[in-house]
Amino acid sequence: MALPVHTARSMRPFLRSAALLSLVVVAACSAQADDPAVETENIGTTSAALEAVTTFGTNPAQLKMFRYTPANMPAGPRPLVVVLHGCTQTAAAYESAGWSALADAWKFHVLYPEQNNTRNNSGGCFNWGGRWKSAPQTFVFTPEPLDLTEIERGHGENQSIKEMVDKMKADHPIDDKRVFVTGLSGGGAMAALMLAVWPDVFSGGAIFAGIPYGCATNKKTTAEASSCLKDYTGANAYLDRTPQQWGDLVRSAAPSYKGAYPRVSIWHGTTDAVVNNKNQAELVKQWTNANGIDQTPDAQGDVDGFPHAEYKDASGKTLVETYTITGQGHGTEVAPSKPIDPAQAKGPTCGKAGAYILSTGICSTYYAGKFFGLDVSPNTTGMTSSGGVSSSSSTGGASSSSGGASSGGASSGGASSGGGASSGAGEGGSPSAPSSCTVSRARGVSSNGSDRDGTLFVLGAAVAIAAVTAARRRSRAS
């Protein structure tokens, strides 16, 4: 039924306002597209794929670079975590440890270096002990001399990874004081190397089933590197260095550096048959000494049913911590039945079990992220007061493992050796602009639902305009 003429006339002011509103929305979209000075981020879903970056620095080791940046990053510098996969794994396969999911929750960047199997190591291991003549045709444990130049600052694989960090800083606002590194097995040993040779780049690290920096610097052979994976007894007892000796190796890695050394979280399974868990104790010696503290724990307790120890400085700040994963083998610990962030109960879960990614009931990625302080703003009071999780409180027992990885298991899934798929952005650039105006928000606007409400308001106004205009036409026709 047509509206009375007087009703249609009374709605003319609304029609003018609604029309003006639509013009404002169109103008805002046009200004956003035309004015490069307007900083905005599209509201959208987070990419499910890692972005391959093909050009960065000189890349002397010819490593592959992948990165992950969540949608709707807050304004200003954000943290960066460098994640190093283990032997037989790829960057994409090790994403199952959950770092990209945690980045979605806490808004930080993730960098995934990947080994070049055809050039450096046929087993896909990072060369934490140095390079050998027949690499990559033979595995690291063949009896050959090691070229230790490769583990010196600014050489080989460590230089390539440093150049990836520089590339991230060039393309994104990165907080220089909140750059961290983590890794498993060969990647864990490489994480220790990166902390030692680049203490001015990394503020902290999390080492999973790793090996101390400089372990194979005595006989300097691949056989010695193989011995570093063992129990430091018998013929290998000479590898069992004092804290001072381990610390000296770190200090000699960057001799001109005079600042504070990185904080370190050290994880290891007690039944690890690939890298003996004696390495956890040796890593504690190395990083407590480098940080100028003793080897006596200042706090001990259980976290999710596993022993946790903290080594603190005089101010009470935790500089080194350990998680001893009792009854578990070689791998990174995940908890697929739990949310990656307990504060986001309906958010993504903590990792996905697979080769060398063990379902143990404790979310190691979450606790490592807490240790790094990734869950808080850099301006939050007390962020660096102690770090990590208090050993005095346990959140319950661990579930039984869903199975460890065999010492020869290959990684399941992951990117091909030719590189991962891009998430829609060109190397070093941003995703191409959509053909139509995309609803977006300016940096710094609260994401508490106002974006959604504003979108609904605009859509509602458009519907109202169409309905009233149609009614007005019918009124005229009558």
Side-chain angles (χ1 to χ4, degrees):
M1 184 177 67
L3 291 173
V5 174
H6 72 274
T7 302
R9 287 173 178 170
S10 67
M11 297 189 71
R12 285 176 182 170
F14 170 76
L15 290 171
R16 295 191 188 100
S17 298
L20 179 60
L21 173 62
S22 63
L23 289 173
V24 168
V25 172
V26 172
C29 289
S30 300
Q32 175 183 313
D34 296 338
D35 184 4
V38 178
E39 278 195 296
T40 62
E41 290 193 9
N42 290 336
I43 296 174
T45 57
T46 303
S47 170
L50 302 182
E51 177 192 357
V53 181
T54 58
T55 304
F56 55 92
T58 61
N59 191 16
Q62 298 178 30
L63 301 184
K64 302 168 190 176
M65 175 180 174
F66 300 90
R67 62 186 175 189
Y68 183 83
T69 294
N72 304 328
M73 289 288 275
R78 301 303 299 164
L80 169 65
V81 178
V82 179
V83 178
L84 302 170
H85 63 78
C87 299
T88 76
Q89 293 178 322
T90 62
Y94 197 58
E95 194 181 15
S96 293
W99 282 102
S100 295
L102 191 65
D104 284 338
W106 291 349
K107 303 302 181 188
F108 57 87
H109 302 273
V110 191
L111 165 61
Y112 293 90
E114 184 175 290
Q115 181 57 285
N116 184 329
N117 296 28
T118 59
R119 180 188 185 275
N120 300 323
N121 189 303
S122 59
C125 306
F126 289 101
N127 289 329
W128 51 268
R131 188 174 175 83
W132 62 103
K133 183 178 180 180
S134 65
Q137 286 75 21
T138 53
F139 199 54
V140 68
F141 307 140
T142 55
E144 296 181 36
L146 284 172
D147 177 7
L148 297 186
T149 302
E150 290 285 309
I151 69 170
E152 295 176 359
R153 178 183 172 102
H155 293 272
E157 294 171 24
N158 77 78
Q159 176 63 23
S160 288
I161 296 171
K162 165 62 164 55
E163 289 175 358
M164 295 182 198
V165 173
D166 292 340
K167 175 63 174 173
M168 290 297 295
K169 291 179 178 179
D171 292 350
H172 301 282
I174 301 294
D175 187 342
D176 284 340
K177 296 182 179 179
R178 304 176 77 194
V179 179
F180 307 94
V181 62
T182 182
L184 163 67
S185 191
M190 193 67 186
L193 187 157
M194 297 302 295
L195 294 171
V197 302
W198 298 104
D200 49 336
V201 173
F202 297 100
S203 297
I207 300 171
F208 293 83
I211 295 166
Y213 171 72
C215 180
T217 55
N218 190 319
K219 296 180 180 179
K220 305 178 180 63
T221 65
T222 53
E224 182 174 60
S226 176
S227 296
C228 291
L229 277 65
K230 300 174 183 177
D231 62 1
Y232 292 70
T233 62
N236 301 321
Y238 76 95
L239 295 172
D240 188 355
R241 296 170 171 90
T242 66
Q244 183 68 38
Q245 290 171 325
W246 281 124
D248 286 345
L249 285 168
V250 170
R251 286 181 284 272
S252 65
S256 62
Y257 180 70
K258 304 302 179 185
Y261 279 92
R263 302 167 63 240
V264 186
S265 180
I266 306 166
W267 298 64
H268 217 121
T270 59
T271 61
D272 191 331
V274 180
V275 178
N276 191 277
N277 71 325
K278 181 66 165 61
N279 280 282
Q280 184 178 54
E282 301 303 304
L283 281 162
V284 169
K285 291 181 189 178
Q286 183 165 69
W287 291 101
T288 52
N289 184 267
N291 276 288
I293 57 177
D294 62 36
Q295 290 73 54
T296 302
D298 297 291
Q300 297 185 76
D302 285 352
V303 174
D304 286 350
F306 295 104
H308 175 229
E310 299 173 76
Y311 303 80
K312 303 181 180 183
D313 64 10
S315 70
K317 179 179 180 180
T318 300
L319 300 182
V320 176
E321 69 170 4
T322 60
Y323 284 85
T324 303
I325 311 303
T326 51
Q328 300 298 323
H330 188 68
T332 296
E333 296 76 23
V334 297
S337 64
K338 298 179 179 179
I340 190 81
D341 178 6
Q344 301 181 26
K346 295 183 179 180
T349 57
C350 176
K352 180 181 179 182
Y356 305 119
I357 300 178
L358 312 179
S359 178
T360 60
I362 184 170
C363 184
S364 63
T365 301
Y366 167 76
Y367 288 115
K370 289 276 287 185
F371 182 76
F372 294 160
L374 298 175
D375 59 325
V376 295
S377 165
N379 296 322
T380 300
T381 302
M383 183 196 76
T384 59
S385 60
S386 61
V389 178
S390 173
S391 297
S392 60
S393 61
S394 173
T395 56
S399 65
S400 61
S401 171
S402 64
S406 67
S407 61
S411 171
S412 59
S416 68
S417 60
S422 169
S423 60
E427 184 278 315
S430 58
S432 57
S435 57
S436 60
C437 178
T438 302
V439 177
S440 62
R441 62 179 174 86
R443 294 181 185 269
V445 176
S446 172
S447 56
N448 58 4
S450 58
D451 296 323
R452 179 196 62 188
D453 296 341
T455 303
L456 292 176
F457 174 75
V458 171
L459 293 174
V463 172
I465 291 169
V468 176
T469 301
R472 187 181 183 191
R473 287 173 179 169
R474 288 194 297 271
S475 176
R476 286 175 175 172
S478 63

